[in-house]
Amino acid sequence: QVQLVESGGGLVQAGGSLRLSCSASGRTFSSLHMGWFRQAPGQERESVATISSGGSRLYYANSVKGRFTISRDNTRNMVYLQMNSLRPEDTAVYFCASSGAIYSSLIRNYDYWGQGTQVTVSS
């Protein structure tokens, strides 16, 4: 069992920044691969960024490369998503998720999910 809780969402103007946080409990965090995913209105859920258990492997969706940064602190059981230069099309519910198996950017490989946090970017 893994419990994940996201925080840090909110309303910002285009060009602004937010940092999302995800707190994990219930399992050794350092053994988990972690990811951030989002679902925009009328869209399918998509991968945003992932990070392997040791932090050595990273994935970013093309739409966020150069703007978003995923990181983790295994001493605090935390994963973060720093979001800069936000655009209205970044508006979505953002979810933190974990994978105890292989490292992957694919949604189907993630088995535990947080409740989501709303990010709204105004133009």
Side-chain angles (χ1 to χ4, degrees), residues 88-108:
E89 52 263 45
D90 295 318
T91 295
V93 177
Y94 284 71
F95 298 89
C96 176
S98 68
S99 171
I102 62 171
Y103 173 71
S104 176
S105 63
L106 301 178
I107 291 173
R108 64 175 176 267

Side-chain angles (χ1 to χ4, degrees), residues 8-57:
L11 173 64
V12 297
Q13 289 191 318
S17 297
L18 285 173
R19 189 172 88 153
L20 305 184
S21 299
C22 175
S23 176
S25 63
R27 186 174 175 179
T28 302
F29 180 69
S30 60
S31 70
L32 298 174
H33 311 298
M34 302 297 297
W36 287 98
F37 305 82
R38 68 186 182 188
Q39 188 163 14
Q43 303 293 317
E44 300 293 323
R45 190 169 298 185
E46 63 178 344
S47 300
V48 175
T50 61
I51 185 167
S52 59
S53 58
S56 62
R57 296 188 65 188

Side-chain angles (χ1 to χ4, degrees), residues 70-119:
I70 189 170
S71 62
R72 65 190 297 159
D73 185 344
N74 285 351
T75 70
R76 295 176 168 83
N77 290 3
M78 297 287 291
V79 62
Y80 307 97
L81 185 68
Q82 178 66 46
M83 305 186 295
N84 298 326
S85 301
L86 284 162
R87 305 166 180 169
E89 52 263 45
D90 295 318
T91 295
V93 177
Y94 284 71
F95 298 89
C96 176
S98 68
S99 171
I102 62 171
Y103 173 71
S104 176
S105 63
L106 301 178
I107 291 173
R108 64 175 176 267
N109 291 313
Y110 289 79
D111 42 15
Y112 292 97
W113 294 78
Q115 82 288 347
T117 185
Q118 176 70 46
V119 172

